Amino acid sequence: MVENRGHGNHSADLTTNPVEDDGIQRFPSTENADAFGNPNIGKVGSIALMINNVVGPGIVALPRIFQQAGWLVPLTSLSFAFFASSFACTMTAESMQLAPGNHRFDNRMEYCDIVSHYMGNKGIGSTQAWYYVSQFFYNSCLTCLNIGSIIVTAQTVDQVILFLFGSTYAYEVYPNVGFLVERSASMHTLPFAHDAHGVVDPYVLTLGYLVSCITIMPLGFLTLEENIIFQLVSCTVFIGIMFLFLGLFTTTADPARLHAVGNNLGQSVGVSLFCYSYAIAIPSWVNEKRKDVGINSTIWLSAFPSTILKILFGILGAMAFDHLSDNALQTVVQHQTKGAWANTVRLADFMFSIFVIGFGVPLFHIFVRYNLMNGGLCSRRTAAFWGIIFPWLVSWMLYNGDLYQKFLNYSSLVFNALTCFLLPMSVFAVAIWSGAAWYPEQLMNLNSSAAESDVEGEEEADDGLERVAMVRAVPAFLGHPLHFAIALLIVTTIVIIMSISFQIYE
């Protein structure tokens, strides 16, 4: 599960890991070695990647959440999710660094490798059991996120085709069989919401879905390092679109539309947690970032402004309209049907779905593929099938249908809560609890120095090789890292249970 990652050469120096032998293959095979990227992602690319993962598709639902729940509960839940997820990310990175022989991040450890290493060797149960359990939850979490993003992107591409050419096409598989033509360019309903016989939500394979598959799926075969250029484009588009819509919101904003406490609080916490599912990206990014790129600074500098933007988008969007849909951008498009802004707003909506949500799909492909390959669980081809091809084989069946969307919402909440919050905090607690003797002496000294340095929690070490950013997940003023991790884990668990309960009984 751990690959010695020489700078620019993945096949060299695959030596024995100092961790005790637990019967699990720890290195990729020669066939898989060149399937990973080199540690070349710089600071700008890292921040763009983090912002894209912090934002996610959940941001478009925030205005409605603020309008229904009032500003107090969503503001509190977003603030909590921001802090909890950011600490989960830094804890994941420090857990990687605390592994024997990995204080310079020379060994490649993916998410499931970290969980199985600590929870298996020093926790409860066997390493193999934890490895397979973490693979199930991690891949399930990413698959849920992937399917949702694929569907939104495909629906938008169908709308683009309708807008440009006046019609789009699909093949209906069930309950009827045959080709369908959609000529309704209305933004109020999705294409192919019913078939020629009036059947609602038929199973269809649409032209937009095929176009999305052909253009987006190949990006999943690239490495994370190679995908950074697309993440830079995605981040630039996102920032531009957000400022455009924030400006439009201010033109119709009425504070009377937003109350302190609303009458529908059930989804506030769940959506807030869903908006911060970026701990899944940390191990792969750490493996392929430049060694001198600060981990703490990148995570916090990306998450904080993204959180401010989310809050502004939610509050101003809630004040801008009387009734909002789940996708606030669609609401703006529906209200801007005429005038000079009409086509600009519609284009912005299209670009958000394609360049922001759509460009997030290859990242999910890559993370799944990396985890399956790095631990030796799958060959390169098998990992590509489950990580890239499989989501596209099944997502088209969920193009229509509210029942399946609700299932995806509930399942993604459960998998996201475990994968992005509870497991990273638990792993870090076990690493600190059992790891005093594991610390390389150099890392102990560097962490002690970092606690006293001007840059809290992070320091660069120069040992004659390459400067490497050290990680301190919990600043000294927050107390002992173990005590803080356990307290945060307990509070987060309570919040997640309450959120799931609210949604079940709503």
mmCIF file of all heavy atoms in Angstrom, residues 170-191:
data_model
loop_
_atom_site.group_PDB
_atom_site.id
_atom_site.type_symbol
_atom_site.label_atom_id
_atom_site.label_comp_id
_atom_site.label_asym_id
_atom_site.label_seq_id
_atom_site.Cartn_x
_atom_site.Cartn_y
_atom_site.Cartn_z
ATOM 1 N N ALA A 170 -32.632 11.057 -27.520
ATOM 2 C CA ALA A 170 -32.378 10.028 -26.512
ATOM 3 C C ALA A 170 -32.931 8.702 -27.003
ATOM 4 O O ALA A 170 -33.791 8.654 -27.904
ATOM 5 C CB ALA A 170 -33.026 10.412 -25.186
ATOM 6 N N TYR A 171 -32.426 7.637 -26.386
ATOM 7 C CA TYR A 171 -32.977 6.300 -26.655
ATOM 8 C C TYR A 171 -33.617 5.803 -25.377
ATOM 9 O O TYR A 171 -32.953 5.666 -24.343
ATOM 10 C CB TYR A 171 -31.882 5.336 -27.107
ATOM 11 C CG TYR A 171 -32.427 3.990 -27.535
ATOM 12 C CD1 TYR A 171 -32.984 3.816 -28.800
ATOM 13 C CD2 TYR A 171 -32.398 2.901 -26.661
ATOM 14 C CE1 TYR A 171 -33.489 2.583 -29.194
ATOM 15 C CE2 TYR A 171 -32.902 1.673 -27.045
ATOM 16 C CZ TYR A 171 -33.460 1.518 -28.309
ATOM 17 O OH TYR A 171 -33.969 0.305 -28.702
ATOM 18 N N GLU A 172 -34.918 5.558 -25.439
ATOM 19 C CA GLU A 172 -35.637 5.085 -24.252
ATOM 20 C C GLU A 172 -35.484 3.573 -24.137
ATOM 21 O O GLU A 172 -35.718 2.825 -25.097
ATOM 22 C CB GLU A 172 -37.116 5.457 -24.335
ATOM 23 C CG GLU A 172 -37.907 5.035 -23.095
ATOM 24 C CD GLU A 172 -39.365 5.437 -23.156
ATOM 25 O OE1 GLU A 172 -39.770 6.060 -24.170
ATOM 26 O OE2 GLU A 172 -40.109 5.134 -22.194
ATOM 27 N N VAL A 173 -35.110 3.126 -22.928
ATOM 28 C CA VAL A 173 -34.895 1.709 -22.675
ATOM 29 C C VAL A 173 -36.074 1.085 -21.943
ATOM 30 O O VAL A 173 -36.440 -0.070 -22.180
ATOM 31 C CB VAL A 173 -33.596 1.513 -21.861
ATOM 32 C CG1 VAL A 173 -33.389 0.045 -21.511
ATOM 33 C CG2 VAL A 173 -32.405 2.053 -22.628
ATOM 34 N N TYR A 174 -36.733 1.869 -21.050
ATOM 35 C CA TYR A 174 -37.841 1.352 -20.250
ATOM 36 C C TYR A 174 -38.707 2.530 -19.800
ATOM 37 O O TYR A 174 -38.165 3.600 -19.509
ATOM 38 C CB TYR A 174 -37.290 0.583 -19.035
ATOM 39 C CG TYR A 174 -38.356 -0.019 -18.159
ATOM 40 C CD1 TYR A 174 -38.910 -1.273 -18.469
ATOM 41 C CD2 TYR A 174 -38.814 0.657 -17.029
ATOM 42 C CE1 TYR A 174 -39.895 -1.820 -17.671
ATOM 43 C CE2 TYR A 174 -39.796 0.108 -16.223
ATOM 44 C CZ TYR A 174 -40.335 -1.126 -16.554
ATOM 45 O OH TYR A 174 -41.311 -1.675 -15.762
ATOM 46 N N PRO A 175 -40.021 2.397 -19.741
ATOM 47 C CA PRO A 175 -40.847 1.203 -20.011
ATOM 48 C C PRO A 175 -41.117 0.951 -21.495
ATOM 49 O O PRO A 175 -41.530 -0.141 -21.874
ATOM 50 C CB PRO A 175 -42.152 1.524 -19.271
ATOM 51 C CG PRO A 175 -42.255 3.004 -19.313
ATOM 52 C CD PRO A 175 -40.839 3.505 -19.192
ATOM 53 N N ASN A 176 -40.912 1.982 -22.328
ATOM 54 C CA ASN A 176 -41.046 1.788 -23.770
ATOM 55 C C ASN A 176 -39.658 1.746 -24.401
ATOM 56 O O ASN A 176 -38.653 2.100 -23.754
ATOM 57 C CB ASN A 176 -41.879 2.920 -24.381
ATOM 58 C CG ASN A 176 -43.280 2.983 -23.790
ATOM 59 O OD1 ASN A 176 -44.057 2.045 -23.925
ATOM 60 N ND2 ASN A 176 -43.607 4.095 -23.122
ATOM 61 N N VAL A 177 -39.583 1.336 -25.622
ATOM 62 C CA VAL A 177 -38.306 1.223 -26.322
ATOM 63 C C VAL A 177 -38.384 2.021 -27.626
ATOM 64 O O VAL A 177 -39.357 1.893 -28.382
ATOM 65 C CB VAL A 177 -37.960 -0.251 -26.631
ATOM 66 C CG1 VAL A 177 -36.647 -0.326 -27.416
ATOM 67 C CG2 VAL A 177 -37.862 -1.062 -25.349
ATOM 68 N N GLY A 178 -37.378 2.854 -27.853
ATOM 69 C CA GLY A 178 -37.353 3.623 -29.092
ATOM 70 C C GLY A 178 -36.688 4.967 -28.910
ATOM 71 O O GLY A 178 -36.334 5.369 -27.790
ATOM 72 N N PHE A 179 -36.499 5.679 -30.008
ATOM 73 C CA PHE A 179 -35.826 6.976 -29.983
ATOM 74 C C PHE A 179 -36.815 8.072 -29.609
ATOM 75 O O PHE A 179 -37.995 8.035 -29.980
ATOM 76 C CB PHE A 179 -35.196 7.276 -31.344
ATOM 77 C CG PHE A 179 -33.963 6.464 -31.626
ATOM 78 C CD1 PHE A 179 -34.056 5.316 -32.409
ATOM 79 C CD2 PHE A 179 -32.725 6.838 -31.121
ATOM 80 C CE1 PHE A 179 -32.931 4.554 -32.674
ATOM 81 C CE2 PHE A 179 -31.600 6.084 -31.384
ATOM 82 C CZ PHE A 179 -31.700 4.934 -32.160
ATOM 83 N N LEU A 180 -36.312 9.068 -28.875
ATOM 84 C CA LEU A 180 -37.108 10.207 -28.461
ATOM 85 C C LEU A 180 -36.447 11.486 -28.960
ATOM 86 O O LEU A 180 -35.219 11.566 -29.044
ATOM 87 C CB LEU A 180 -37.235 10.279 -26.934
ATOM 88 C CG LEU A 180 -37.889 9.103 -26.211
ATOM 89 C CD1 LEU A 180 -37.832 9.324 -24.695
ATOM 90 C CD2 LEU A 180 -39.332 8.916 -26.672
ATOM 91 N N VAL A 181 -37.272 12.473 -29.254
ATOM 92 C CA VAL A 181 -36.779 13.791 -29.648
ATOM 93 C C VAL A 181 -37.369 14.813 -28.689
ATOM 94 O O VAL A 181 -38.575 14.826 -28.453
ATOM 95 C CB VAL A 181 -37.175 14.146 -31.098
ATOM 96 C CG1 VAL A 181 -36.640 15.525 -31.463
ATOM 97 C CG2 VAL A 181 -36.653 13.094 -32.061
ATOM 98 N N GLU A 182 -36.507 15.646 -28.101
ATOM 99 C CA GLU A 182 -36.942 16.696 -27.180
ATOM 100 C C GLU A 182 -36.719 18.042 -27.863
ATOM 101 O O GLU A 182 -35.599 18.391 -28.229
ATOM 102 C CB GLU A 182 -36.141 16.630 -25.880
ATOM 103 C CG GLU A 182 -36.451 17.729 -24.896
ATOM 104 C CD GLU A 182 -37.852 17.615 -24.315
ATOM 105 O OE1 GLU A 182 -38.093 16.665 -23.535
ATOM 106 O OE2 GLU A 182 -38.687 18.470 -24.651
ATOM 107 N N ARG A 183 -37.834 18.781 -28.033
ATOM 108 C CA ARG A 183 -37.729 20.089 -28.675
ATOM 109 C C ARG A 183 -38.158 21.223 -27.756
ATOM 110 O O ARG A 183 -38.243 22.357 -28.190
ATOM 111 C CB ARG A 183 -38.574 20.115 -29.946
ATOM 112 C CG ARG A 183 -38.038 19.218 -31.059
ATOM 113 C CD ARG A 183 -38.773 19.451 -32.366
ATOM 114 N NE ARG A 183 -38.156 18.725 -33.467
ATOM 115 C CZ ARG A 183 -38.482 17.489 -33.813
ATOM 116 N NH1 ARG A 183 -39.423 16.847 -33.145
ATOM 117 N NH2 ARG A 183 -37.870 16.897 -34.826
ATOM 118 N N SER A 184 -38.411 20.925 -26.515
ATOM 119 C CA SER A 184 -38.803 21.955 -25.550
ATOM 120 C C SER A 184 -37.555 22.525 -24.914
ATOM 121 O O SER A 184 -36.818 21.823 -24.232
ATOM 122 C CB SER A 184 -39.718 21.368 -24.475
ATOM 123 O OG SER A 184 -39.942 22.312 -23.448
ATOM 124 N N ALA A 185 -37.302 23.813 -25.158
ATOM 125 C CA ALA A 185 -36.095 24.453 -24.637
ATOM 126 C C ALA A 185 -36.345 25.159 -23.314
ATOM 127 O O ALA A 185 -35.594 26.019 -22.915
ATOM 128 C CB ALA A 185 -35.559 25.449 -25.656
ATOM 129 N N SER A 186 -37.443 24.810 -22.618
ATOM 130 C CA SER A 186 -37.762 25.463 -21.347
ATOM 131 C C SER A 186 -36.734 25.118 -20.290
ATOM 132 O O SER A 186 -36.292 23.970 -20.178
ATOM 133 C CB SER A 186 -39.148 25.025 -20.863
ATOM 134 O OG SER A 186 -39.379 25.497 -19.555
ATOM 135 N N MET A 187 -36.353 26.140 -19.496
ATOM 136 C CA MET A 187 -35.415 25.905 -18.398
ATOM 137 C C MET A 187 -36.137 25.417 -17.144
ATOM 138 O O MET A 187 -35.525 25.118 -16.137
ATOM 139 C CB MET A 187 -34.658 27.192 -18.087
ATOM 140 C CG MET A 187 -33.768 27.684 -19.205
ATOM 141 S SD MET A 187 -32.428 26.543 -19.594
ATOM 142 C CE MET A 187 -31.509 26.572 -18.063
ATOM 143 N N HIS A 188 -37.478 25.349 -17.182
ATOM 144 C CA HIS A 188 -38.243 24.978 -15.999
ATOM 145 C C HIS A 188 -38.314 23.463 -15.813
ATOM 146 O O HIS A 188 -38.582 22.985 -14.720
ATOM 147 C CB HIS A 188 -39.655 25.561 -16.076
ATOM 148 C CG HIS A 188 -39.677 27.068 -16.097
ATOM 149 N ND1 HIS A 188 -39.835 27.803 -14.953
ATOM 150 C CD2 HIS A 188 -39.529 27.952 -17.110
ATOM 151 C CE1 HIS A 188 -39.801 29.103 -15.254
ATOM 152 N NE2 HIS A 188 -39.616 29.213 -16.562
ATOM 153 N N THR A 189 -38.134 22.710 -16.879
ATOM 154 C CA THR A 189 -38.175 21.258 -16.781
ATOM 155 C C THR A 189 -36.935 20.673 -17.444
ATOM 156 O O THR A 189 -36.355 21.264 -18.361
ATOM 157 C CB THR A 189 -39.423 20.697 -17.490
ATOM 158 O OG1 THR A 189 -39.414 21.111 -18.860
ATOM 159 C CG2 THR A 189 -40.692 21.197 -16.807
ATOM 160 N N LEU A 190 -36.558 19.494 -16.991
ATOM 161 C CA LEU A 190 -35.409 18.819 -17.565
ATOM 162 C C LEU A 190 -35.795 18.146 -18.866
ATOM 163 O O LEU A 190 -36.958 17.761 -19.057
ATOM 164 C CB LEU A 190 -34.869 17.772 -16.581
ATOM 165 C CG LEU A 190 -34.246 18.310 -15.297
ATOM 166 C CD1 LEU A 190 -33.930 17.160 -14.352
ATOM 167 C CD2 LEU A 190 -32.990 19.103 -15.605
ATOM 168 N N PRO A 191 -34.863 17.974 -19.784
ATOM 169 C CA PRO A 191 -35.162 17.236 -21.015
ATOM 170 C C PRO A 191 -35.580 15.798 -20.694
ATOM 171 O O PRO A 191 -35.083 15.197 -19.743
ATOM 172 C CB PRO A 191 -33.834 17.274 -21.778
ATOM 173 C CG PRO A 191 -33.099 18.443 -21.209
ATOM 174 C CD PRO A 191 -33.512 18.521 -19.781
#
